[in-house]
Short mmCIF file of all heavy atoms in Angstrom, two decimals:
data_model
loop_
_atom_site.label_atom_id
_atom_site.label_comp_id
_atom_site.label_asym_id
_atom_site.label_seq_id
_atom_site.Cartn_x
_atom_site.Cartn_y
_atom_site.Cartn_z
N LYS A 392 101.96 117.99 111.04
CA LYS A 392 103.20 117.61 110.36
C LYS A 392 104.27 118.69 110.48
O LYS A 392 105.47 118.39 110.53
CB LYS A 392 102.90 117.30 108.89
CG LYS A 392 104.05 116.69 108.12
CD LYS A 392 103.61 116.34 106.72
CE LYS A 392 104.76 115.70 105.93
NZ LYS A 392 104.32 115.37 104.55
N ASP A 393 103.85 119.96 110.51
CA ASP A 393 104.79 121.07 110.65
C ASP A 393 104.92 121.51 112.11
O ASP A 393 105.24 122.67 112.39
CB ASP A 393 104.37 122.24 109.78
CG ASP A 393 102.92 122.65 110.03
OD1 ASP A 393 102.23 121.96 110.80
OD2 ASP A 393 102.48 123.66 109.46
N LEU A 394 104.63 120.60 113.04
CA LEU A 394 104.86 120.79 114.48
C LEU A 394 104.01 121.90 115.08
O LEU A 394 104.42 122.57 116.03
CB LEU A 394 106.35 121.06 114.75
CG LEU A 394 107.32 120.00 114.24
CD1 LEU A 394 108.75 120.39 114.57
CD2 LEU A 394 106.98 118.63 114.81
N GLN A 395 102.80 122.09 114.55
CA GLN A 395 101.86 123.03 115.14
C GLN A 395 100.87 122.26 116.01
O GLN A 395 100.38 121.20 115.61
CB GLN A 395 101.11 123.80 114.05
CG GLN A 395 101.99 124.68 113.18
CD GLN A 395 102.60 125.83 113.96
OE1 GLN A 395 102.04 126.28 114.95
NE2 GLN A 395 103.73 126.32 113.50
N MET A 396 100.58 122.81 117.20
CA MET A 396 99.64 122.16 118.10
C MET A 396 98.20 122.47 117.66
O MET A 396 97.85 123.63 117.45
CB MET A 396 99.86 122.61 119.53
CG MET A 396 101.24 122.24 120.07
SD MET A 396 101.65 120.50 119.86
CE MET A 396 100.38 119.73 120.89
N VAL A 397 97.42 121.41 117.52
CA VAL A 397 96.06 121.53 117.01
C VAL A 397 95.09 121.00 118.07
O VAL A 397 95.26 119.89 118.57
CB VAL A 397 95.89 120.72 115.71
CG1 VAL A 397 94.47 120.89 115.16
CG2 VAL A 397 96.92 121.15 114.68
N ASN A 398 94.09 121.81 118.40
CA ASN A 398 93.02 121.38 119.30
C ASN A 398 91.82 120.96 118.44
O ASN A 398 91.25 121.78 117.71
CB ASN A 398 92.61 122.51 120.24
CG ASN A 398 93.75 122.96 121.13
OD1 ASN A 398 94.49 122.13 121.66
ND2 ASN A 398 93.92 124.26 121.28
N ILE A 399 91.47 119.69 118.52
CA ILE A 399 90.43 119.16 117.64
C ILE A 399 89.37 118.47 118.48
O ILE A 399 89.67 117.79 119.47
CB ILE A 399 91.03 118.18 116.61
CG1 ILE A 399 89.96 117.68 115.64
CG2 ILE A 399 91.74 117.02 117.28
CD1 ILE A 399 90.52 116.90 114.48
N GLY A 400 88.11 118.70 118.11
CA GLY A 400 86.98 118.04 118.75
C GLY A 400 86.29 117.12 117.77
O GLY A 400 86.04 117.49 116.61
N LEU A 401 86.00 115.91 118.21
CA LEU A 401 85.42 114.89 117.33
C LEU A 401 84.15 114.34 117.97
O LEU A 401 84.14 114.01 119.16
CB LEU A 401 86.42 113.76 117.10
CG LEU A 401 86.13 112.82 115.93
CD1 LEU A 401 86.34 113.57 114.61
CD2 LEU A 401 87.03 111.59 115.98
N ARG A 402 83.08 114.28 117.17
CA ARG A 402 81.83 113.66 117.62
C ARG A 402 81.64 112.35 116.87
O ARG A 402 81.62 112.32 115.64
CB ARG A 402 80.64 114.56 117.36
CG ARG A 402 79.35 114.07 118.02
CD ARG A 402 78.14 114.71 117.42
NE ARG A 402 77.97 114.35 116.02
CZ ARG A 402 76.90 114.65 115.30
NH1 ARG A 402 75.92 115.34 115.83
NH2 ARG A 402 76.83 114.29 114.02
N VAL A 403 81.48 111.28 117.62
CA VAL A 403 81.35 109.94 117.05
C VAL A 403 80.02 109.35 117.49
O VAL A 403 79.71 109.31 118.69
CB VAL A 403 82.52 109.03 117.48
CG1 VAL A 403 82.42 107.68 116.81
CG2 VAL A 403 83.85 109.69 117.16
N LEU A 404 79.21 108.89 116.53
CA LEU A 404 77.95 108.21 116.82
C LEU A 404 78.19 106.71 116.74
O LEU A 404 78.52 106.19 115.68
CB LEU A 404 76.86 108.63 115.82
CG LEU A 404 76.51 110.12 115.80
CD1 LEU A 404 75.43 110.39 114.78
CD2 LEU A 404 76.06 110.59 117.18
N THR A 405 78.03 106.01 117.86
CA THR A 405 78.35 104.58 117.93
C THR A 405 77.19 103.79 118.49
O THR A 405 76.30 104.34 119.16
CB THR A 405 79.58 104.35 118.82
OG1 THR A 405 79.27 104.77 120.17
CG2 THR A 405 80.78 105.13 118.33
N ARG A 406 77.22 102.50 118.21
CA ARG A 406 76.26 101.55 118.80
C ARG A 406 76.89 100.16 118.75
O ARG A 406 77.68 99.86 117.85
CB ARG A 406 74.93 101.57 118.07
CG ARG A 406 75.03 101.29 116.57
CD ARG A 406 73.68 101.45 115.91
NE ARG A 406 73.77 101.37 114.46
CZ ARG A 406 73.70 100.21 113.79
NH1 ARG A 406 73.57 99.06 114.43
NH2 ARG A 406 73.78 100.21 112.46
N PRO A 407 76.53 99.28 119.68
CA PRO A 407 77.09 97.93 119.65
C PRO A 407 76.39 97.07 118.60
O PRO A 407 75.23 97.31 118.25
CB PRO A 407 76.81 97.41 121.06
CG PRO A 407 75.57 98.13 121.47
CD PRO A 407 75.66 99.50 120.85
N LEU A 408 77.10 96.08 118.10
CA LEU A 408 76.48 95.13 117.17
C LEU A 408 75.63 94.15 117.98
O LEU A 408 76.16 93.43 118.83
CB LEU A 408 77.57 94.39 116.40
CG LEU A 408 78.43 95.25 115.47
CD1 LEU A 408 79.52 94.41 114.82
CD2 LEU A 408 77.58 95.92 114.41
N PRO A 409 74.32 94.11 117.76
CA PRO A 409 73.45 93.27 118.60
C PRO A 409 73.83 91.79 118.59
O PRO A 409 73.74 91.12 119.63
CB PRO A 409 72.06 93.49 117.97
CG PRO A 409 72.14 94.82 117.31
CD PRO A 409 73.54 94.91 116.80
N ALA A 410 74.26 91.28 117.46
CA ALA A 410 74.59 89.86 117.39
C ALA A 410 75.84 89.51 118.19
O ALA A 410 76.07 88.34 118.51
CB ALA A 410 74.77 89.44 115.93
N LYS A 411 76.66 90.53 118.51
CA LYS A 411 77.92 90.29 119.23
C LYS A 411 77.84 90.67 120.71
O LYS A 411 78.88 90.78 121.37
CB LYS A 411 79.04 91.09 118.56
CG LYS A 411 79.30 90.70 117.11
CD LYS A 411 79.86 89.30 117.00
CE LYS A 411 80.21 88.95 115.57
NZ LYS A 411 80.78 87.59 115.45
N LEU A 412 76.64 90.86 121.24
CA LEU A 412 76.52 91.27 122.64
C LEU A 412 77.10 90.26 123.63
O LEU A 412 77.73 90.68 124.62
CB LEU A 412 75.05 91.55 122.96
CG LEU A 412 74.46 92.83 122.34
CD1 LEU A 412 72.99 92.98 122.71
CD2 LEU A 412 75.24 94.05 122.78
N PRO A 413 76.93 88.94 123.45
CA PRO A 413 77.58 88.02 124.39
C PRO A 413 79.10 88.17 124.44
O PRO A 413 79.70 88.17 125.52
CB PRO A 413 77.17 86.64 123.86
CG PRO A 413 75.88 86.88 123.15
CD PRO A 413 76.04 88.23 122.52
N GLU A 414 79.71 88.36 123.26
CA GLU A 414 81.16 88.53 123.22
C GLU A 414 81.57 89.87 123.83
O GLU A 414 82.60 89.97 124.52
CB GLU A 414 81.64 88.43 121.77
CG GLU A 414 83.15 88.51 121.62
CD GLU A 414 83.57 88.35 120.18
OE1 GLU A 414 82.73 88.00 119.33
OE2 GLU A 414 84.77 88.60 119.89
N ILE A 415 80.77 90.91 123.58
CA ILE A 415 81.07 92.22 124.17
C ILE A 415 81.02 92.13 125.69
O ILE A 415 81.88 92.69 126.39
CB ILE A 415 80.07 93.27 123.65
CG1 ILE A 415 80.30 93.54 122.16
CG2 ILE A 415 80.20 94.58 124.42
CD1 ILE A 415 79.30 94.49 121.54
N TYR A 416 80.04 91.42 126.23
CA TYR A 416 79.93 91.31 127.70
C TYR A 416 81.12 90.52 128.28
O TYR A 416 81.64 90.86 129.34
CB TYR A 416 78.62 90.64 128.08
CG TYR A 416 78.40 90.56 129.57
CD1 TYR A 416 77.98 91.67 130.28
CD2 TYR A 416 78.63 89.37 130.26
CE1 TYR A 416 77.80 91.62 131.65
CE2 TYR A 416 78.45 89.30 131.64
CZ TYR A 416 78.03 90.43 132.32
OH TYR A 416 77.86 90.37 133.67
N ARG A 417 81.54 89.47 127.58
CA ARG A 417 82.66 88.68 128.08
C ARG A 417 83.96 89.47 128.08
O ARG A 417 84.79 89.32 128.99
CB ARG A 417 82.83 87.43 127.22
CG ARG A 417 81.74 86.39 127.36
CD ARG A 417 82.13 85.10 126.68
NE ARG A 417 81.01 84.15 126.66
CZ ARG A 417 80.23 83.94 125.61
NH1 ARG A 417 80.44 84.64 124.49
NH2 ARG A 417 79.25 83.07 125.67
N THR A 418 84.18 90.29 127.07
CA THR A 418 85.47 90.97 126.93
C THR A 418 85.49 92.38 127.52
O THR A 418 86.53 92.82 128.03
CB THR A 418 85.84 91.05 125.44
OG1 THR A 418 84.78 91.72 124.71
CG2 THR A 418 86.05 89.66 124.86
N LEU A 419 84.35 93.10 127.43
CA LEU A 419 84.35 94.51 127.82
C LEU A 419 83.35 94.84 128.92
O LEU A 419 83.52 95.84 129.62
CB LEU A 419 84.06 95.40 126.60
CG LEU A 419 85.06 95.29 125.44
CD1 LEU A 419 84.57 96.09 124.25
CD2 LEU A 419 86.44 95.77 125.87
N GLY A 420 82.29 94.07 129.06
CA GLY A 420 81.28 94.39 130.05
C GLY A 420 80.22 95.32 129.50
O GLY A 420 80.10 95.54 128.28
N THR A 421 79.46 95.90 130.37
CA THR A 421 78.39 96.81 129.94
C THR A 421 78.88 98.22 129.64
O THR A 421 78.24 98.96 128.90
CB THR A 421 77.30 96.87 131.02
OG1 THR A 421 77.89 97.27 132.26
CG2 THR A 421 76.63 95.51 131.19
N ASP A 422 80.01 98.63 130.20
CA ASP A 422 80.56 99.96 129.95
C ASP A 422 81.63 99.90 128.86
O ASP A 422 82.72 100.45 129.00
CB ASP A 422 81.13 100.55 131.24
CG ASP A 422 82.18 99.64 131.87
OD1 ASP A 422 82.24 98.45 131.48
OD2 ASP A 422 82.94 100.12 132.72
N TYR A 423 81.30 99.23 127.77
CA TYR A 423 82.25 99.03 126.68
C TYR A 423 82.69 100.36 126.04
O TYR A 423 83.84 100.51 125.65
CB TYR A 423 81.62 98.12 125.62
CG TYR A 423 80.39 98.72 124.97
CD1 TYR A 423 80.48 99.46 123.80
CD2 TYR A 423 79.14 98.59 125.55
CE1 TYR A 423 79.36 100.02 123.23
CE2 TYR A 423 78.02 99.15 124.99
CZ TYR A 423 78.13 99.86 123.81
OH TYR A 423 77.03 100.42 123.26
N ALA A 424 81.76 101.32 125.94
CA ALA A 424 82.08 102.59 125.28
C ALA A 424 83.15 103.36 126.07
O ALA A 424 84.10 103.90 125.48
CB ALA A 424 80.83 103.45 125.12
N GLU A 425 83.00 103.41 127.38
CA GLU A 425 83.99 104.13 128.20
C GLU A 425 85.33 103.41 128.22
O GLU A 425 86.39 104.05 128.39
CB GLU A 425 83.47 104.28 129.63
CG GLU A 425 82.29 105.22 129.79
CD GLU A 425 80.98 104.61 129.32
OE1 GLU A 425 80.98 103.40 129.02
OE2 GLU A 425 79.99 105.35 129.21
N ARG A 426 85.34 102.11 128.02
CA ARG A 426 86.59 101.36 128.04
C ARG A 426 87.37 101.49 126.73
O ARG A 426 88.60 101.49 126.73
CB ARG A 426 86.32 99.87 128.29
CG ARG A 426 85.84 99.55 129.70
CD ARG A 426 85.45 98.08 129.78
NE ARG A 426 85.04 97.70 131.12
CZ ARG A 426 85.84 97.13 132.02
NH1 ARG A 426 87.10 96.90 131.71
NH2 ARG A 426 85.40 96.81 133.21
#
């Protein structure tokens, strides 16, 4: 907010929702995380 440059690292633990795998494949494919 005060115009200082901040270098930040974030670790996120993710997983796909199993019930939504058909929709994930139709919209994003198998490399959904990278997309």
Side-chain angles (χ1 to χ4, degrees):
K392 189 176 181 181
D393 53 354
L394 304 180
Q395 296 294 333
M396 298 308 297
V397 182
N398 299 317
I399 183 171
L401 196 70
R402 189 198 65 172
V403 184
L404 299 180
T405 63
R406 56 185 173 87
L408 295 177
K411 298 293 184 179
L412 288 179
E414 184 178 350
I415 292 176
Y416 183 78
R417 290 191 187 100
T418 56
L419 300 174
T421 56
D422 56 344
Y423 63 93
E425 291 76 9
R426 290 173 178 264

